[in-house]
């Protein structure tokens, strides 16, 4: 093919899913001429699976993307049709927002945002090759013959690399939702750039026609009356919300699945890719939990202007006629009609241990990867990697220090560190249990943790920063007042009687009253005049005061953690020359080339005794240096 020069850009982003959108917007908002290439303009920000943003731990990631100056939170706030806070029966560390999206409205909002962002061009086309010069990225080639120059490239290819859709005995080389896949780039990454690829698999349930559902046999699930938005920029939102519906599988459903397991490509060996452990197909659930009499399903609207409903919990790769039969055993779905059949999809991704902590490939300067190409799953995990990859692409061009968020700073930091340090052999999903400092990484304080960083990088607007500073000062001022103001036992006695709290014997600080289990911040109005504060500020004050002791304990743990993270390791260090480190650890350390002692300690196969040897080695080197 004869190639032509198609343009010169600072950064090119390949893929306009949730990772690519955030990466491109970050680069453009940081002042760099950016090209966002996508296989199909109609697939921008597509929710190929569940029509929802957020969820347990995922809601934290959305808040963090927003605090850094990203887009996902603002777009879902403008387009959700139901929203609720999950895990409210537990502590504030695991509270997470989840919103049902009008998926077409979400896409349209994100596409409009991209198209109207300065420094950003969105273009349809397939990237088939990455160009390098002296080992560094210098551009890309497209299927139509264009050679596009750039100094940094972000690959955010999602599940499109050599993607294959599977429904029973039916196989099709295709991306999700019938969109075109990308078949040329994957072998080029492996054969010419020398990258190690993995084969993963995910799937999605059928979509069904609302008119064929008997909702009277299901339990309605409503959103929260008080709407808490994702974005720290969003003001008070009042919107009519639509319900979802709960139903269950039963023994008839499970019997049909067991009778047809021989036709499931998941169990016949036709599917080669590794699927997500925490989002299994219905076949997987029935096989792995044979004693469970039923599995819950949620019927979720795909939008306000469609009759399509998403059946959460029924991901499957069984043949179409088997799917229809088993769906019709479910209460409320006895006469259901499919609009889209459930399918599994296989795709290529890289081994993420080939990346540095800034999401740049160790072997190719200027080439960054974000999202499902790194082995993760989920829109939110993709968006978090996308904004970090975009930021670091610009930092690379600026020849400035990359942004590497610590495990003590953000769930996004935990996500990247887990992928890069430990790798993954299945699609990685963020969970609160993965974050050892989760009381410090609450969703309500994401702005306090990250807005200052976004401001320094040039991603946070004056409006956002002013709001952040107003909230910060209000929280600090009120907590200081609560810690310095005392009340008498007589003044507090009626409140304690009402709340069932034991009486106090002497004067007590307002902060100490708030630490009592039954006392909420608003209850203090019975003993003191409370300032007029927004709801999010009041919630933040209450959490910071109630959990102050636990927060201080975690902060002390973080200090020790940071001491290890601050001990940098040379990229050219030969660990085989350090006596005392076990052979397995030497091999792993030489393979991964960790950037600091903390990262080295988290590599599977490296023991605490190996880390002790490393620390002793560096103390000796320092003394003799």
């Amino acid at each position: 093919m004869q190639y032509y020069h198609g343009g010169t850009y600072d950064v090119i982003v390949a893929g306009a899913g949730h990772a690519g959108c955030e990466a491109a917007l970050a680069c453009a908002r940081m002042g760099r001429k950016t090209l966002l290439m996508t296989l199909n303009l109609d697939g921008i920000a597509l929710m190929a699976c569940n029509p929802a943003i957020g969820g347990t731990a995922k809601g934290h990631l959305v808040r963090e993307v927003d605090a850094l100056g990203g887009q996902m939170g603002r777009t879902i706030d403008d387009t959700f049709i139901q929203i609720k806070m999950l895990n409210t029966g537990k502590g504030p560390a695991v509270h997470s927002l989840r919103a049902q999206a009008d998926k077409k409205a979400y896409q349209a909002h994100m596409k409009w945002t991209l198209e109207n962002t300065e420094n950003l061009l969105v273009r349809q086309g397939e990237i088939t090759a990455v160009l390098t010069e002296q080992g560094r990225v210098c551009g890309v080639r497209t299927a139509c013959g264009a050679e596009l120059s750039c100094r940094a490239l972000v690959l955010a290819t999602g599940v499109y690399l050599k993607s294959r859709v599977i429904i029973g005995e039916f196989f099709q080389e295709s991306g999700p939702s019938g969109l075109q896949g990308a078949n040329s780039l994957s072998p080029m990454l492996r054969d010419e750039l020398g990258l190690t690829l993995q084969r993963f698999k995910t799937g999605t349930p059928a979509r069904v026609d609302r008119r064929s559902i008997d909702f009277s046999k299901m339990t309605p699930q409503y959103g929260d009356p008080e709407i808490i938005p994702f974005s720290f920029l969003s003001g008070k939102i009042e919107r009519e919300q639509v319900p979802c519906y709960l139903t269950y599988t039963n023994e008839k459903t499970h019997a049909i699945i067991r009778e047809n397991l021989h036709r499931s490509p998941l169990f016949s060996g036709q599917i080669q890719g590794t699927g997500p452990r925490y989002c299994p197909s219905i076949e997987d659930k029935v096989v792995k939990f044979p004693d469970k009499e039923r599995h819950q399903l949620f019927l979720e609207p795909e939008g306000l202007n469609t009759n399509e409903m998403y059946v959460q919990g029924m991901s499957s790769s069984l043949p179409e006629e088997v799917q229809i039969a088993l769906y019709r055993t479910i209460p409320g779905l006895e006469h259901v009609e499919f609009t889209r059949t459930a399918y599994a999809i296989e795709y290529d991704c890289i081994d993420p241990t080939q990346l540095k902590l800034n999401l740049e490939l160790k072997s190719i300067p200027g080439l960054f990867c974000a999202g499902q190409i790194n082995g993760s799953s989920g829109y939110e995990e993709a968006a978090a990697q996308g904004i970090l990859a975009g930021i670091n692409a610009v930092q690379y061009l600026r020849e400035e220090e990359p942004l590497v968020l610590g495990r003590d700073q953000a769930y996004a930091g935990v996500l990247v560190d887990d992928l890069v340090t430990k790798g993954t052999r299945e699609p990685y999903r963020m969970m609160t249990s993965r974050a050892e400092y989760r009381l410090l990484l609450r969703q309500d304080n994401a702005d306090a943790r990250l807005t200052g960083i976004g401001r320094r990088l040039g991603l946070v607007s004056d409006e956002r920063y002013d709001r952040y500073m107003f909230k910060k000062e209000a929280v600090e001022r009120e907590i200081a007042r609560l810690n310095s103001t005392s009340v008498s036992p007589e003044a507090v006695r009626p409140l304690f009687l009402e709340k069932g709290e034991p009486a106090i014997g002497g004067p007590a600080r307002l902060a100490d009253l708030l630490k009592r289990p039954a006392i909420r911040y608003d209850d203090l109005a019975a003993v003191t005049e409370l300032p007029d504060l927004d709801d999010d500020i009041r919630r933040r004050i209450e959490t910071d005061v109630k959990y102050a002791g636990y927060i201080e304990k975690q902060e002390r743990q973080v200090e020790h953690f940071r001491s290890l993270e601050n001990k940098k390791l040379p990229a050219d260090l030969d660990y085989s020359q350090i006596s005392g480190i076990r052979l397995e650890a030497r091999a792993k350390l030489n393979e991964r080339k960790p950037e600091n002692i903390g990262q080295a300690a988290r590599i599977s196969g490296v023991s605490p005794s190996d880390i002790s040897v490393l620390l002793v080695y560096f103390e000796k080197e320092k003394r003799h240096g």
Side-chain angles (χ1 to χ4, degrees):
M1 177 180 286
Q2 184 173 341
Y3 293 97
Y4 74 97
H5 181 64
T8 300
Y9 302 88
D10 293 319
V11 185
I12 294 176
V13 178
H18 304 282
C21 289
E22 295 295 347
L25 286 167
C27 293
R29 288 168 174 170
M30 292 172 74
R32 296 293 167 160
K33 184 180 179 184
T34 306
L35 173 66
L36 176 59
M37 288 286 291
T38 177
L39 291 168
N40 191 325
L41 288 172
D42 295 328
I44 288 175
L46 173 68
M47 294 183 187
C49 197
N50 57 314
I53 294 292
T56 301
K58 293 168 176 282
H60 291 68
L61 289 171
V62 181
R63 280 281 181 89
E64 291 175 355
V65 169
D66 181 74
L68 283 169
Q71 186 61 37
M72 178 175 269
R74 283 182 275 176
T75 295
I76 187 59
D77 281 351
D78 279 350
T79 59
F80 73 77
I81 57 178
Q82 188 196 100
I83 193 165
K84 62 170 59 178
M85 187 71 75
L86 305 182
N87 303 324
T88 53
K90 301 177 182 178
V94 297
H95 293 178
S96 292
L97 271 176
R98 185 178 189 272
Q100 294 297 135
D102 185 316
K103 62 190 293 183
K104 287 298 182 185
Y106 184 96
Q107 283 187 271
H109 188 285
M110 188 66 79
K111 185 170 184 282
W112 185 93
T113 301
L114 294 164
E115 291 173 342
N116 289 278
T117 295
E118 191 177 353
N119 303 316
L120 180 57
L121 174 65
V122 185
R123 180 172 168 182
Q124 181 169 299
E126 180 184 355
I127 291 175
T128 56
V130 176
L131 305 179
T132 60
E133 187 175 303
Q134 297 182 337
R136 295 176 174 270
V137 161
C138 67
V140 298
R141 282 192 183 128
T142 73
C144 290
E147 286 192 343
L148 305 164
S149 299
C150 66
R151 292 192 291 141
L153 170 66
V154 180
L155 295 181
T157 51
V159 299
Y160 290 83
L161 290 182
K162 290 200 74 175
S163 51
R164 182 174 74 143
V165 165
I166 306 162
I167 305 170
E169 296 91 2
F170 170 78
F171 300 86
Q172 182 176 30
E173 303 296 322
S174 169
S177 298
L179 294 172
Q180 172 189 345
N183 293 318
S184 300
L185 188 58
S186 189
M188 184 269 165
L189 296 176
R190 181 187 60 242
D191 300 335
E192 297 184 36
L193 298 186
L195 301 186
T196 301
L197 302 184
Q198 305 181 114
R199 191 75 172 160
F200 279 1
K201 166 256 172 189
T202 187
T204 189
R207 274 52 161 195
V208 299
D209 192 323
R210 166 188 287 274
R211 296 169 300 176
S212 64
I213 301 170
D214 183 354
F215 293 109
S216 67
K217 297 182 178 179
M218 301 179 179
T219 306
Q221 305 290 302
Y222 300 103
D224 291 340
E226 179 192 359
I227 293 175
I228 298 174
F230 273 102
S231 177
F232 293 99
L233 272 178
S234 296
K236 190 174 181 62
I237 298 175
E238 293 184 359
R239 185 179 307 163
E240 186 176 350
Q241 302 182 55
V242 300
C244 299
Y245 295 87
L246 173 64
T247 187
Y248 295 89
T249 63
N250 52 59
E251 184 48 42
K252 289 182 181 178
T253 318
H254 302 173
I256 292 174
I257 291 170
R258 285 191 289 266
E259 289 164 8
N260 287 277
L261 282 177
H262 65 286
R263 299 186 67 192
S264 168
L266 190 64
F267 292 92
S268 67
Q270 294 298 315
I271 290 179
Q272 303 297 318
T274 306
R277 183 188 314 183
Y278 301 103
C279 189
S281 68
I282 189 65
E283 302 99 280
D284 239 353
K285 286 189 273 192
V286 169
V287 170
K288 290 181 178 177
F289 306 102
D291 298 329
K292 195 160 185 178
E293 295 180 355
R294 63 180 191 172
H295 296 278
Q296 67 179 17
L297 309 172
F298 290 94
L299 276 289
E300 301 172 343
E302 294 249 305
L304 297 178
N305 298 306
T306 177
N307 281 328
E308 286 193 279
M309 301 282 286
Y310 175 90
V311 189
Q312 186 196 133
M314 282 289 278
S315 175
S316 177
S317 59
L318 285 164
E320 185 174 75
E321 73 273 19
V322 178
Q323 290 186 34
I324 293 171
L326 66 90
Y327 270 63
R328 288 179 176 171
T329 64
I330 294 164
L333 300 181
E334 293 88 349
H335 305 288
V336 74
E337 295 289 349
F338 278 23
T339 57
R340 306 182 200 222
T341 305
Y343 61 85
I345 184 168
E346 288 186 318
Y347 57 95
D348 284 349
C349 58
I350 70 166
D351 178 346
T353 62
Q354 298 167 102
L355 298 169
K356 295 190 280 189
L357 288 169
N358 66 344
L359 296 177
E360 181 184 22
L361 278 160
K362 296 172 183 176
S363 59
I364 307 170
L367 180 53
F368 298 79
C369 296
Q372 286 178 281
I373 191 174
N374 290 342
S376 64
S377 69
Y379 315 141
E380 304 81 7
E381 290 89 340
Q385 293 172 71
I387 193 169
L388 292 176
I391 287 169
N392 283 322
V394 174
Q395 293 298 89
Y396 167 80
L397 297 180
R398 291 174 173 174
E399 298 183 358
E400 295 181 3
E401 282 294 307
L403 174 62
V404 176
L405 296 175
R407 299 180 71 91
D408 60 313
Q409 287 180 287
Y411 270 79
V414 175
L415 163 66
V416 171
D417 185 66
D418 278 355
L419 288 171
V420 173
T421 304
K422 302 174 183 177
T424 183
R425 293 294 175 259
E426 62 187 31
Y428 177 101
R429 178 178 178 174
M430 177 50 67
M431 296 178 290
T432 53
S433 59
R434 297 189 190 273
E436 53 269 60
Y437 307 115
R438 54 186 171 272
L439 190 54
L440 302 180
L441 306 183
R442 307 186 311 275
Q443 59 158 13
D444 68 297
N445 69 358
D447 57 339
R449 292 184 277 118
L450 300 174
T451 299
I453 295 173
R455 178 71 168 182
R456 174 173 55 80
L457 293 165
L459 276 174
V460 168
S461 65
D462 290 343
E463 179 192 1
R464 179 186 288 274
Y465 194 68
D466 288 345
R467 285 197 188 193
Y468 158 68
M469 289 302 297
F470 176 83
K471 178 179 178 180
K472 178 177 181 289
E473 291 165 3
V475 169
E476 290 174 350
R477 186 168 53 247
E478 179 61 357
I479 289 178
R481 186 181 78 87
L482 296 178
N483 278 310
S484 62
T485 305
S486 296
V487 292
S488 67
E490 292 75 21
V492 81
R493 186 175 294 117
L495 173 61
F496 275 24
L497 282 172
E498 179 190 344
K499 297 294 182 178
E501 288 285 351
I504 56 176
R509 297 181 307 161
L510 293 173
D512 291 330
L513 301 185
L514 185 51
K515 290 177 183 178
R516 295 291 186 102
I519 305 299
R520 306 296 302 271
Y521 175 75
D522 289 347
D523 295 331
L524 297 180
V527 295
T528 185
E529 185 176 348
L530 295 179
D532 184 17
L533 300 172
D534 290 341
D535 291 342
D536 61 328
I537 295 176
R538 296 156 86 91
R539 285 190 293 267
R540 173 73 186 282
I541 291 166
E542 181 175 316
T543 300
D544 281 357
V545 171
K546 274 189 178 295
Y547 294 89
Y550 298 101
I551 291 170
E552 289 168 8
K553 182 179 178 181
Q554 284 210 341
E555 286 173 343
R556 288 194 296 271
Q557 294 170 345
V558 165
E559 286 306 309
H560 172 68
F561 167 77
R562 283 181 181 157
S563 70
L564 296 179
E565 300 296 303
N566 290 335
K567 294 183 188 297
K568 302 299 181 184
L569 293 170
D572 59 354
L573 180 61
D574 185 356
Y575 295 91
S576 63
Q577 300 302 309
I578 304 176
S579 61
I581 298 179
R582 294 172 310 111
L583 289 176
E584 180 190 7
R586 291 182 190 182
K588 289 287 182 71
L589 291 166
N590 274 326
E591 176 192 347
R592 301 289 173 85
K593 295 294 184 185
E595 297 179 35
N596 55 61
I597 293 286
Q599 188 185 13
R602 293 188 293 276
I603 295 174
S604 175
V606 177
S607 71
S609 63
D610 297 319
I611 296 302
S612 296
V613 172
L614 260 183
L615 290 169
V616 170
Y617 171 83
F618 277 104
E619 282 302 314
K620 287 181 179 178
E621 289 291 303
K622 189 189 297 182
R623 286 199 299 269
H624 296 134

